[in-house]
Amino acid sequence: MNIHEYQAKELLRSFGLPVLKGRLAVSPLEAEAAALALGGKVVVVKAQIHAGGRGKAGGVKLARSPEEASAHAEAMLGKELRTAQTGPQGRLVRRVYVEEGCEIARELYLAFTLDRERGRVVLIASTHGGMDIEEVAATRPAEIHRIHVDPFVGLWPSQARGLAVALGMHGKTIEAFTRFAVGLYRAYVELDASLVEVNPLVVTKDGAVIALDAKVSFDDNALFRREALSALRDVHEEDPRETEASEHGLSYVALDGNIGCLVNGAGLAMATMDAIQLAGGMPANFLDVGGGADEERVAAAFSILLADPKVKALLVNILGGIMRCDVIARGIVAAARKVHLSVPLVVRLAGTNVELGKEILAGSGLTIIPADDLGDAAARAVEAAGDAADLRRAS
């Protein structure tokens, strides 16, 4: 789960980390009032969407008066902001954050995330703040610093000091950076975050260290014990199909192809998508019903997958263990009838009650393309998707 910049900064402030004063606004008048409340001098108006690259897209503007802050807010609010991360569809700006200005001497990058290969939290830092870290990694990989944190002792102040020196800091800025890095690690751990990123982390002309921007993403699997954090969720920033899936306890991921995938288990999802690409196709999405879904949830999953207009064929690949094949089969039949299935449906079932599941599908009266193994299922789905696309173009 992602949150907005203004929310992330409030969380960092609660951990004693330095952030600038700011106020949220949902109208030009509120933006003007916010600028006045912040001293009526230089402020920055920032569009609040869940995407980076806002500055390049016109979503971050400097205002030298409250009236100018109002004008910037009017230009942003209610408009679609398109960045490299939003794609061509953009994101609707529903609120802006008006923040006081500061005198910047340097911009740095600092983040904590999980290195899954090492199984440890990793601190990532660079002198190239304000840039996409992926771009820095691709063009100047030697200028990215990494420190893997021992989970038993956490980030040592001595590690943070050494990093500060490596980043070219001097004097009191070294201690300010050390306190910030150690505090940011504490926030990462105690918030059950998957990413805490400050880009840029600025050093001011008087040597202070301040989070000029902040991004926090949370581990969804830990939200059950973080009700206050769950309340920060903004469903307007999410794919509505992902939101609907989460309400049913399902996991949905949108992709760019034309074959919808219904599976049970993350490993099976990856294998299914690999098989589709090996057969020459591309998955449009996948939805994991997990190991304990009932008939109602399977029907909901089916409806969510078919709501994607890119889907030209649907592949159901179920390995029955905890999840029985007959339950999946009944869910498929119920969903197909409910949504008036209009694309080819390929089904591969294996495992518990597989013969019963096949009987249910065969007796449903639906046009279903059966498959005996994953390779066969993928090939049939790719063929069916191509035929469906050709038919639509011909019509």
Side-chain angles (χ1 to χ4, degrees), residues 27 53 60 293 331 347:
S27 71
V60 178
V347 178

Side-chain angles (χ1 to χ4, degrees), residues 19 26 86 139 150 171 206 211 256 266 294 300 351 358 385:
V19 296
V26 295
T86 66
T139 58
D150 188 318
D206 61 0
D256 298 324
D294 55 21
K358 289 180 178 180

Side-chain angles (χ1 to χ4, degrees), residues 174-258:
I174 293 178
E175 288 306 313
F177 177 86
T178 299
R179 290 192 298 272
F180 191 97
V182 172
L184 195 65
Y185 174 75
R186 177 170 161 254
Y188 176 89
V189 173
E190 294 187 16
L191 291 172
D192 285 319
S194 57
L195 171 70
V196 174
E197 178 184 77
V198 178
N199 185 29
L201 173 70
V202 299
V203 179
T204 64
K205 291 185 176 180
D206 61 0
V209 173
I210 298 173
L212 199 64
D213 196 1
K215 177 180 179 180
V216 178
S217 300
F218 302 100
D219 184 344
D220 292 346
N221 295 311
L223 289 177
F224 73 94
R225 62 186 183 188
R226 303 288 184 188
E227 291 185 10
L229 297 180
S230 297
L232 301 178
R233 183 179 186 180
D234 184 353
V235 296
H236 295 108
E237 293 291 318
E238 301 175 3
D239 185 318
R241 288 161 295 190
E242 291 184 10
T243 303
E244 184 180 356
S246 67
E247 291 172 353
H248 291 280
L250 307 169
S251 297
Y252 174 88
V253 175
L255 300 167
D256 298 324
N258 63 357

Side-chain angles (χ1 to χ4, degrees), residues 45-114:
V45 182
K46 301 181 178 183
Q48 296 298 287
I49 60 171
H50 289 179
R54 293 172 298 165
K56 296 178 182 178
V60 178
K61 293 290 187 180
L62 189 69
R64 292 175 173 80
S65 68
E67 293 77 17
E68 192 175 0
S70 174
H72 288 324
E74 185 172 10
M76 295 180 194
L77 290 166
K79 310 296 193 305
E80 298 283 350
L81 186 64
R82 295 173 178 83
T83 77
Q85 294 185 12
T86 66
Q89 70 276 12
R91 294 278 177 84
L92 181 65
V93 180
R94 293 179 169 85
R95 54 183 69 84
V96 296
Y97 189 53
V98 183
E99 187 174 66
E100 64 183 351
C102 70
E103 295 185 337
I104 300 171
R106 295 184 62 196
E107 295 188 358
L108 308 169
Y109 177 94
L110 184 66
F112 286 95
T113 190
L114 179 63

